[in-house]
Amino acid sequence: MTTPILIAVLAIIAGVIIILGAGGGLIKPMQARWESYLVKAEEGAPKMKEQAEQAKNKMQNSMNSAITGSTRRTNIGR
């Protein structure tokens, strides 16, 4: 009967140590890492938006030229 209680108490203690990172020592480095990821993402967002817009424009131009080219071919044959 005491074995399950002992295991539960040890699991709680181990969980607390892991979560707090041995006194909170792992929290600040992870916070700094996440902040640097977010800064890089914010800096790269305008470039990604511009590239997406360029890709969209290229796709529309390709579609328009494909449509125009197919109507020219059908009109020439008549």
Side-chain angles (χ1 to χ4, degrees):
M1 177 142 188
T2 59
T3 304
I5 295 172
L6 178 63
I7 291 173
V9 169
L10 291 175
I12 290 171
I13 291 171
V16 168
I17 290 172
I18 291 169
I19 290 173
L20 294 180
L26 298 177
I27 293 173
K28 285 293 179 186
M30 282 304 295
Q31 181 180 3
R33 186 174 297 163
W34 277 106
E35 286 175 0
S36 72
Y37 292 155
L38 292 174
V39 167
K40 288 179 185 177
E42 288 173 356
E43 291 172 352
K47 183 177 179 181
M48 289 177 64
K49 186 176 181 180
E50 180 183 335
Q51 290 175 346
E53 190 65 35
Q54 289 174 353
K56 179 182 172 185
N57 291 338
K58 284 182 183 179
M59 180 68 80
Q60 287 176 343
N61 290 341
S62 297
M63 295 290 282
N64 289 339
S65 31
I67 291 170
T68 306
S70 65
T71 52
R72 282 188 198 153
R73 283 187 226 122
T74 56
N75 290 338
I76 293 173
R78 291 183 183 183

